Amino acid sequence: MRHLVPVFLCLALAACGGDFSNDDLEFLNALPQRQDLAATVPGQDKEAGGSPRIAGKTALAVGRLGFPSGIIVDTDETGRRFNEVVDSMLASLETIRSAPPTEREPDRRVWGPYPDRRERRFEARFVMTREGERFDYQLQYRRGGEGEDAWWSFITGSFQANGGIRKGSGSLILELRRAREKGFILGLDLLEREEIHYQTRTLPTRVELVFVSMQPLLLPSKYIYRQGEGGVAEMTFELQGTDFVAGGLPEDVALTTRWSPDGRGSGSLRILKGDIQGAQYTECWDNRGRVTFISRSWDFLNPTEGVRSSCPDMTALDR
């Protein structure tokens, strides 16, 4: 994944003045925050009991009992990249929370317009509307001096409230291709959009990160993160061209990893393409990342190793 340069509204905070009304806060609560969307990461410097987790990279491959899990290392790295992209997309919204809106209507709020801090040729404004329990918002730009019809949306989002503060379902879309066509950003030529879709109303919560590209991507185009009761979590994504098993062909795999707050976890991998297409592999690890159980669907002589009961209880994610 590429880490996007954050986009900020240059709000002249000293000039804004005023306070937030209760109704303003209802609008702001419709905007996602990092704690709503960020993934917990299974690899920590220290697990709950204080024992250091095994460090260093391990290639994704068939595991060995008692050795570091390659699946957990890959999930650690993917979770951190997932959070980097989420952070970069949410950075565009953070300044909005710092100042009251400049325009108020019963079901509409506007911040701006203000000169953009990074691209002084452009003006920016943030517009939110409300219809019942649904909120829609847009971060818009136009070149300085242009008219009302010149506004275009770089970020669009929506939120359907249901069940309490910041509880519900929503989406956030970054229109990269449009921004390039308008001369606002350079680079990221292969990506048309980045999208986040989420629901926080019930457990397990769900966050889906999607990359829409004009050409096939080397990295996965979709990641799904879920978190259930008790802090258990799950990440699902696909990897292409891995050397998972010995043979003449690289493997494309679909990987689902689950982990608990104490560091234990399990990974289930299905081979989509390669030497043993259709095969499935499962492994579990302890709170130091060492493999404790292995299951291989293609191995008829020795399909399992280790103790299956060492795998943590993840049924909270199946509700």
Side-chain angles (χ1 to χ4, degrees), residues 54-70:
I54 297 167
K57 291 188 176 181
T58 304
L60 182 62
V62 175
R64 296 172 60 190
L65 285 181
F67 282 77
S69 168

Side-chain angles (χ1 to χ4, degrees), residues 41-54 261-263 287-288:
V41 179
Q44 304 292 333
D45 292 334
K46 290 183 179 294
E47 55 91 20
S51 300
R53 179 179 292 284
I54 297 167
D262 66 4
N287 59 12
R288 298 191 65 224

Side-chain angles (χ1 to χ4, degrees), residues 61-66 71 244-246 267-271 276 278-284 291-306 308:
V62 175
R64 296 172 60 190
L65 285 181
I71 289 179
F244 185 70
V245 294
S268 179
L269 183 147
R270 182 165 54 92
I271 298 178
I276 50 174
Q280 296 192 38
Y281 172 82
T282 300
E283 72 178 36
C284 301
V291 176
T292 60
F293 174 76
I294 294 171
S295 173
R296 298 175 291 260
S297 68
W298 65 89
D299 191 337
F300 298 104
L301 297 178
N302 190 27
T304 64
E305 295 181 66
R308 188 182 294 272

Side-chain angles (χ1 to χ4, degrees), residues 23 27 29 60 82 102 118 129 145 152 172 225 231 245 250 277:
D23 210 30
F27 277 85
N29 282 331
L60 182 62
F82 178 97
T102 53
R118 294 178 179 271
T129 58
W152 56 272
L172 180 67
Y225 173 75
V245 294
Q277 182 174 339

